[in-house]
Amino acid sequence: MKLRPRLAVLIALVLLASTVVVVRTSAPAAAGDARYSATIRRTEYGIPHISAKDYGGLGFGYGYAFAQDNLCVMASWVVTLRGERSRHFGAAAMSDDPVSPVNNLASDVYYKSVADSGVVRRLLARPAPVGPSAELRRLVDGYVAGYNRYLQETGVANLPDPTCRGKAWVGDVTAMDIWNNLLDLNRMVGSSALKEAITGIDEPETDGPAKRPAAGSNGWALGRQATRDGHGMVLADPHFPWNGIRRFYQVQLTIPGVLDVSGGSLYGTPVVQIGHNASVAWTHTVSHAQRFTVYQLRLAGDRTSYLVDGHAEPVGRQEVQVALQDGTMTSHTLYTSRYGPVLAAGQTDKVAYALADANAANLRAADEWLAMARATNLTQLRAAQSTYQGLAFVHTLATDIGGTAYFADASIVPHVTDAKARRCAKPSPIPGLDAYVLDGSTSACLWGKDRDAVVPGIFGPGNQPRLTRADYVANSNNTFWMTNPSKPLTGYQHAWGEPRTDVEPRPRVSLDMIAQRLSGADGLGEPGFTLETLQATARTKRNYSFELMRSDLLTLCRTHPELTSSDGKRVNVREACATLRKWDGRATLDGHGAILWREFFTRLMGPHKMGEPVFSPWRVPFDAAHPLTTPRGLKHDASEVRESLADAVLFFQTNRIALTLTPGQAQRYSSIPLPGCTEGEGCFDRVRMRAAALGTDGRYPEVDTGSSFMMAVELTPDGPRTRTILTYSLSANPASPHHTDQTVLFSRGQWVTERFTEAEIAADPRLRTTAVHLG
């Protein structure tokens, strides 16, 4: 074997205050022969409320509405899922994957191999819960029919979005495209993040191939003891990409008497991932538990087979063909094993490595979200999670109208106990590859089994970290152990994450924000959360690293008004120190000093001297016995600290950038100034730019990740009270009136009052209603 190197009732029709449009067609649907009917009502900011009498109609209305707003993003992603980007855009251009972009050829080879493997067809042939439920199948078929109906009515040449208007690569989608998108979402932090290592195309040599999404998302579930009126509340703050297929779309989906859910739905998925109904609300944060393992294969003889328990098993071959822009085809051979694809990295004459992804055949997440949306209390929500066990990589934080707060890492984790990990450990084939590497030559190192697991090889619900409280649970991508400091979670297998480790600044400021609100020490009034104080707490823009280091920084400023930069230049830091002394430590639009601090802190935490141990600037190191107060302080006497401040100030001075540069001046999205600071600085509602360097013009590249669909919801006996903000707005179409309208609100710290009940929707004077039919 030669291995190659590199996601309501229909009464508005008669409301006099609304604009009514009826769209009827007798053309056949692209997905089945069913008759579809739905009502699309749009309230402020274009937010759609879809209602229908059945799942097929609901999907039809949703697919139609989504296509109106974001067809071009989906059309491009369908080209990706079909492995046709090289043909349309060139093999060397970068793919449209917002999380793990690779060149189009690597993308095409990977997605062609997934399609050719038949994994989705096999799953569709299975009954629920392993295969999709009948309800989800009808929802997907309707979604496809609705999307295609809008495209057929409008025509490619007349699409409102200039991004794809008249493009040859725009066309109808199929149910298989949607299923492939759902599978790819579940593989996002596994196989899909390892395309280069799987295909051998442009494989990185040193840093490892896994481009995990940057740590993001905050989630709070507040119970009756944490809220003034005893109501359950949820704060959702997922930090997902601001461009491409992993954006959220805000929607309400209603089948009277069956389903009524509102929230954020990832593009191309016909279900709500983060949201609420009348009595339950939930959110997710990314869990950094293990998602895959790598197996070291012991090659036999001519390397066309490998040994398991002393018996030879053949290495499988998969021939993948990709069409190129010039009309020719290119062929690529991939290799497979019982564990999964053989990586095109780390191989020698004696060993190769195979990827075992726990989400390689997981379509269950969509059914789990659908069942959660129908839950009327936490007992039913937990039952939905135990039934489907499909959430690929996220924690769940939820509450119900009874005011109980619930946390679970109910995600998919390969069943590798600590004992097995030690016994079966092998060296990693790629530096930085974040995975257990196990001995593939013995069946004793196969994943284990739990009796309550829906599929073999994963931990079942009985082994998942879980916590139920009357006060609160919180997570900001820290491990489960500090979900609530009053009840640390320990005793779980390390595949779920390491306990008693550094909580890190963003999770620490999150827990501090809750503690201050519960004690009333935050200046927002008497203790306890209301919906209003929940909103206010979430948008404080605290920079926790500055709070932890400020005192020592000012000591440095007093003792060293002049410093020496790393290249030996003398730098006067008096004005910079005065700016930082006056700054209140909040990354607001007008936060004078916020960008100066970021540039100093970024240099402080970065590499200093090649070949030397990583420098820690913290004066008091982390102590597991005091996880919420350590690390802290600044080593103000360290040469690395002094040089970092000098270098930052020198950059401002050399480029004539004001030391008082503010977030509103330095960071933008679609020309709209944005508040916020970065993950490393310890900012709760963070922002991120893919290329993080401040330009010589005092501007960062455009924000591409950060708070995305924010939701603050209070579950009351009279119905949910909810405030939301979709930070990048509803439509990716630059010509749409809803392209940046919510972004402007987000910039100002404002929220949208959600309309959930029939009365709330009907009261909108801008209500527009469209009835759509097919059949």
Side-chain angles (χ1 to χ4, degrees), residues 736-774:
S736 169
H738 306 302
H739 180 58
T740 57
D741 51 356
Q742 289 197 58
T743 312
V744 172
L745 297 182
F746 176 66
S747 174
R748 299 170 180 167
Q750 297 173 324
W751 300 66
V752 175
T753 298
E754 182 192 75
R755 297 180 183 274
F756 182 76
T757 66
E758 285 298 314
E760 290 167 341
I761 296 170
D764 183 2
R766 290 163 295 278
L767 182 66
R768 293 175 294 129
T769 300
T770 303
V772 290
H773 306 282
L774 180 65

Side-chain angles (χ1 to χ4, degrees), residues 61-140:
Y62 187 10
Y64 192 98
F66 177 80
Q68 288 178 309
D69 295 315
N70 294 298
L71 185 141
C72 288
V73 176
M74 188 65 192
S76 177
W77 188 244
V78 167
V79 175
T80 301
L81 293 171
R82 295 177 181 177
E84 296 177 351
R85 296 199 67 81
S86 297
R87 171 189 167 196
H88 292 288
F89 308 114
M94 294 302 288
S95 72
D96 60 345
D97 188 329
V99 176
S100 300
V102 295
N103 70 51
N104 284 335
L105 182 59
S107 176
D108 288 343
V109 171
Y110 170 77
Y111 285 110
K112 283 279 190 180
S113 73
V114 174
D116 293 348
S117 73
V119 58
V120 173
R121 290 191 297 274
R122 290 192 296 274
L123 289 170
L124 292 176
R126 300 281 302 273
V130 176
S133 68
E135 293 86 355
L136 181 61
R137 292 171 194 262
R138 291 196 292 270
L139 197 62
V140 167

